[in-house]
Each structure stands twice: as structure tokens, then as C-alpha cells.
Amino acid sequence: MARLYRGMRDFLPRQMISREEIQEKIRKIFRRWGYVPIETPAIELLDTLHGKYGSDADKLIYKLEHSDGLGLRYDLTVPLARVIALYDQQLPKPFRRYQIQPVWRAERAQKQKGRFREFVQCDVDIIGTESPIADAEILAISAEILTDLGLRDFKILINHRQILRGLVHISGFASDDEFSVLRSIDKWDKIGKDGVREELAKKGFERKSIDKIFELISVDDTNWNLLSDMSKIGDERVKAGVDNIRRILEYLASLGFGQDIVEFSPRMARGLDYYTGAIFETILPELPDMGSLTGGGRYDELIGLFSGKGKIPACGTTIGLDRILSAMEELKMFPDSHTYTKVLVAQFSAQLSSSALIFSQKLRSVNIPTEMFPEPKKLAKQFAYANKWNIPFVVLIGEDEAKQELCVLKDMKTGRQRTVSQNQAIRILAETLNSK
RNA sequence: GUGGGUGUAGCUCAAUUGGUUAGAGUGCUGGACUGUGGAUCCGGAGGUUGGCGGUUCGACCCCGCUCACCCACCCCA
């Protein structure tokens, strides 16, 4: 029987049209900022994939049975790091690249929350610069894309791995336990303060350390006062992180994005191991269960793991296409487009099929997406077809019209129709369709 | 992977304490209407009630197993 593996999806035309349109908008913005595309294979060596994301995440990598040591890529950042290491000299720095491709994760899929086992990521990264301008640029691009797609009420959460490391350190945790602690803290908004406390206790950490870190991050006003307070703690890494965030925000303001869309979130940690500096994600406060729409940060040491030639700084983010689409679906933001076709040329009879073909080709030559009905079926069927696919116009060339180079032009929305010359019909269609 | 819930037509749902041939809406399709759709009317197709087994004279309904989906945990875009 026909079945679909959990977490996988088929896309029918209606969804596919939205996917393509949104992808086009994202691509356009990437290009406007000077980013160039790359693609990498779905299959990578497990050696490439393992040990970059964290021990939990390694379990979520799909392994291939065909041969030892192969797996499906888990994100686009690690393949990028591999590419940089391999083609370093051919890619002048700073190197700005975008990449739009699917990734696979062997986790429990939940459609309504926008979680899938196969999903498309749209990544933008800047390689080869430590400048906070790069971080600010990545944030500006994220904000521009979400705004362009009509998701106005997003919030960018920002934090810093250096701050987190410093806090974990001065609370008395061992540096080996850093990720474990951070991952629990990351769940704050989900399971609450007590939940985090419970989980840390269960992991066997000392009461004193837990109390200390809670004191440092559990302040209720999650914003800029807090950031100032952090720099007074007296830890160098924390202070460096705070200064770095401040500079990023200054540059971001110069790019036209003010602090109203950004929030300092000292508990946001992000799950992946490779981040070293600023980390960020965007969420929609309206849809708290949806998770993040975009997520990224600075990873200055990842590429070095591949090249072995010391560190190459890098910073980037993922625009979660599928998350965005899920969110837009929840918010009922989709235009009701079923097809790209704007005009259906009906076929009156087999004898008149050539007039219809000639006319349809004229429409295409002026860039009007046109399809012709392939069989001389009853006109009622042909009009019903146009209606079902939401094709806005139908053109009919019957016996009477053909003699005088005329046609019937019908607007399917209003139901109104008129008989005009064929050239006039083309002019009218070109005008009304282009003005939209 | 662990725990909880749900499975009836393509979709949304009915079906008396376990009782004869499992229905309706919607959608699909053909016609009323051989130069006109979204309205109306008439007809048609579509089901091993998720699957296998058990209890019973008799199971959509009860029991066991299994599968799928949903929710929670884990994890993230």
C-alpha cells in the first residue's frame, strides 16, 4: 500500500507554489547582500558529521546501510566548514555564501509544531572575519526576510556563548559539564524555572552551583539592564561577551534595525556544540510552541577542525523555510493560489484548435502564463476546470469569433465577459495581470 | 526509543446495552444544459469499519497482539 515514512512530506501544487515563491524571496534577499550560492551532497562521511553537534545530536544522524561510515547531512553549517577546508585558497575572504537544501534528522516529527525529519534550510554565512559587523549583517538579513514575508511580530533573541561559559564557570561547574548545563538552561521557557532546577539536580550537579547560576540568570527582566549587570560580574569572558553583543547591536542599529526587535535572552543556549560567540534565534511570540524560525551564531573554531590549520572565524544563520511555512499556515497567511496559470484558452472544436493554439502561443510570447485545454470537451467542463484551479481568465474562440479574429474574454471572478479583438484581448490581459 | 489518546468512504463525522443489507454532508464523476464555471435537481462510483487472531448464535462496538497517526518526553529549523 502507498505510505509515507513519518516526518516526510509530499508537496502538492498548492503548497509547492507557496514554497517556491517564498524561496524566491529569500534567495533574492541573499543576493542583494552579495551572497553567492553553493550546494553540497546529501550524503557525507560520518567522520565529517560526528562530533560537531554534540553527543545527543549524533544519535539523530541518519546512517546509511549501503556502506560503512556514511550518513545524511544534519545541517548545512558542517558541510560548509568541510567545503571551506577543502577549497580554502579558491575562496577569497570574507566569503559570503548561501545554501538552500534539505537536511535530515532522525527525531520524532510533529507536523503542527513544524518538526519534520526532512526539511529545507536556507543558510547564510560569512567566512573569514571576526568583525561584529558580520554578526549584525546576519541578523539584519534574518529580520529583512521575516519582514518581507509578512511576519512582522518576530523577536530576535540574542545571547553569547562566552557569557554562558563565564557564568557556568563562576557558578562552580566543571568545564566538561558546560554543554549539559547549558542544554538544561535552554529549556527554561518550556519547562520553567523549577523544571530546570529539577533536571540539573537529577543530573547530579551540586546544589551550590545550581543556586549560583540561578541567581545569575533568573532575573525577570530579560533585557538590557540585565546585560549591563552581567558586565559587572567580574568575569572576563562574560565581559567580553557583553561588549561583543553591544557592538553587534550598534552596527545593527546603523543598518536600520533597532533594539525593539531584539531581546537579550540569557537563558537561550542553542543545542549545537560548535558555537563560540554570539548566538541568536528568532521566534514568534504569537506561536510559542512553534520553536525558532531562524537560528545561528558565531562558530570560530568549527572550520579549524577540518583544515587543521588554525582557526577561520565564521558566523551565520539558518532561515528555517519549513518552520516559516508552518507558522504562516497556522496564521492563515497564505494566498489562495492553486496554479501559476493566468489564462485558460478553451477549445471550441477540433476544427478550431489551431486558432486556439496560435492564440495561446501569443499570450505566452508576452509572458502571460497560459494553458490550453487539450480536448474539445463541453464548454461547461472547460470552464469548470478553470474554476477548480482558480485560473482567473478564460479565452474562447468559437466559430463566430474565429471568422473576424475576435475572441471571448471571460473574467472568472466577476463572471463578466466581452467579445473583443484578439489583439485587444492580449493588451487587456497584459495590463491587468502586470498591474497586480 | 518511553508513557497517554485515537483509528468507520478521498475529507469531516453518524450508526440504540453487541443485532439483519454500515449512513449523511462534502468532494469526485455522468446527466438535466450539444456556446459558459462557482447555484439547483437527478443518477453513479467509492468500505475487508487500519491489520491479524479471540469471545459470541451474531462484533464497527468486548478482549489480545500488531501497525499507523496525534499528544507528552528527548531534540531542534
Side-chain angles (χ1 to χ4, degrees), chain A residues 187 215 272 416:
Chain A
K187 291 178 200 158
E215 189 192 315
L272 303 177
R416 245 176 282 159

Side-chain angles (χ1 to χ4, degrees), chain A residues 85 111 114 122 176 210 259 265 307 338 383 400 428:
Chain A
K111 205 171 145 192
C122 311
D176 282 351
I210 299 174
Q259 283 192 2
S265 176
S307 70
H338 298 54
F383 278 93
D400 304 336
I428 295 169

Side-chain angles (χ1 to χ4, degrees), chain A residues 11-19 21 334-339 388-390:
Chain A
F11 298 111
L12 299 185
R14 202 142 160 196
Q15 310 158 273
M16 208 50 218
I17 288 172
S18 316
R19 290 181 76 79
E21 284 173 354
F334 279 127
D336 206 17
S337 53
H338 298 54
T339 175
K388 276 172 204 154
W389 283 100
N390 257 9

Side-chain angles (χ1 to χ4, degrees), chain A residues 51-104:
Chain A
K52 313 298 187 303
Y53 306 108
S55 56
D56 288 342
D58 279 359
K59 291 181 219 146
L60 301 178
I61 295 170
Y62 277 107
K63 296 184 182 73
L64 300 189
E65 263 189 22
H66 174 262
S67 159
D68 280 354
L70 297 178
L72 295 176
R73 66 166 166 252
Y74 183 86
D75 73 353
L76 301 179
T77 307
V78 166
L80 169 67
R82 198 210 74 226
V83 163
I84 300 298
L86 277 173
Y87 309 99
D88 190 20
Q89 305 89 326
Q90 297 171 46
L91 303 167
K93 313 295 178 303
F95 172 54
R96 291 177 161 95
R97 79 86 234 232
Y98 71 86
Q99 184 171 358
I100 300 177
Q101 288 192 276
V103 303
W104 294 268

Side-chain angles (χ1 to χ4, degrees), chain A residues 205-260:
Chain A
F205 295 117
E206 278 183 44
R207 184 68 185 271
K208 224 169 61 186
S209 300
I210 299 174
D211 286 344
K212 180 72 180 167
I213 193 121
F214 268 68
E215 189 192 315
L216 294 170
I217 61 168
S218 68
V219 189
D220 279 330
D221 69 333
T222 52
N223 55 35
W224 310 111
N225 298 334
L226 188 52
L227 191 63
S228 307
D229 293 345
M230 291 262 167
S231 59
K232 292 175 201 147
I233 287 173
D235 179 276
E236 267 181 41
R237 278 182 297 186
V238 173
K239 193 171 182 310
V242 170
D243 289 346
N244 187 237
I245 286 183
R246 285 214 172 107
R247 291 186 62 197
I248 291 169
L249 294 176
E250 271 169 39
Y251 293 128
L252 188 60
S254 298
L255 287 168
F257 297 93
Q259 283 192 2
D260 51 318

Side-chain angles (χ1 to χ4, degrees), chain A residues 47-49 52 78 81-82 85 301-309:
Chain A
D47 281 349
T48 302
L49 267 19
K52 313 298 187 303
V78 166
R82 198 210 74 226
E301 278 151 33
L302 179 63
I303 299 169
L305 294 180
F306 290 102
S307 70
K309 283 190 297 190

Side-chain angles (χ1 to χ4, degrees), chain A residues 34 36 91-97 125-130 134 137 313:
Chain A
V36 289
L91 303 167
K93 313 295 178 303
F95 172 54
R96 291 177 161 95
R97 79 86 234 232
D125 294 81
I126 310 182
I127 312 303
T129 174
E130 284 186 305
E137 175 168 319

